[in-house]
Amino acid sequence: MRESVQAEVMMSFLVSEELSFRIPVELTYEAKDPYAVRMTFHLPGDAPVTWAFGRELLLDGINVATGDGDVRIEPTHPEELCDVRIRLQVGEDRALFRSGAAPLVAFLDRTDKLVPLGQEWTLGDFDEHLEDALGRILAEENAG
């Protein structure tokens, strides 16, 4: 059985109203951490930065504004499937990205084939997976 799904999506990094540039973003979903999606942003001149957040947050954010913490995702036009804005925030530092919805939907469709939405709990010992996932997330935060 396949253990993960990966995709590379080109996103716009919105520096200001006047300035943006395209960057590759690696999307990763692993069956061993079935509730999370990871996005690794490859910014020019910097080490890659990885953010992990709920798969359902990404799914919901394609259609409606969602998220009330460090990650907010919203469609640019809720009445149609077009672009999605992803806002990441740490303290006062913010980064805003824009992506087409289609590649995100295609990625999420592949994750659903690996682990159907709502069936994450069936993957065995969730507590062990959660402990491993939290350990990885904390290690990533301490390394960055």
Side-chain angles (χ1 to χ4, degrees):
M1 178 176 123
R2 192 176 60 203
E3 297 291 324
S4 66
V5 173
Q6 293 183 323
E8 186 175 285
V9 175
M10 292 301 290
M11 292 188 185
S12 294
F13 176 41
L14 306 171
V15 179
S16 69
E17 291 288 326
E18 302 83 29
L19 179 62
S20 69
F21 53 93
R22 310 266 301 155
I23 62 166
V25 178
E26 183 181 326
L27 305 174
T28 306
Y29 177 80
E30 297 177 344
K32 66 183 177 185
D33 189 7
Y35 291 97
V37 168
R38 284 180 171 61
M39 288 188 172
T40 301
F41 298 89
H42 298 275
L43 299 169
D46 283 334
V49 176
T50 300
W51 279 73
F53 51 88
R55 173 169 64 156
E56 282 192 61
L57 181 71
L58 180 58
L59 178 63
D60 292 346
I62 290 172
N63 297 303
V64 295
T66 189
D68 58 5
D70 296 339
V71 179
R72 293 210 27 96
I73 303 174
E74 63 184 354
T76 56
H77 302 289
E79 62 281 351
E80 61 186 72
L81 187 65
C82 83
D83 286 349
V84 175
R85 282 188 293 253
I86 301 169
R87 182 183 57 85
L88 307 173
Q89 182 171 340
V90 176
E92 296 299 315
D93 295 329
R94 294 182 182 167
L96 182 62
F97 300 89
R98 186 179 64 233
S99 173
L104 299 177
V105 169
F107 171 75
L108 288 166
D109 183 57
R110 291 176 51 216
T111 71
D112 191 60
K113 289 180 175 131
L114 180 62
V115 179
L117 198 62
Q119 298 298 310
E120 296 90 349
W121 63 272
T122 64
L123 292 179
D125 187 357
F126 179 71
D127 290 335
E128 180 182 324
H129 293 300
L130 180 60
E131 190 173 312
D132 290 345
L134 289 174
R136 283 193 310 276
I137 290 168
L138 290 173
E140 288 172 5
E141 287 179 1
N142 290 333

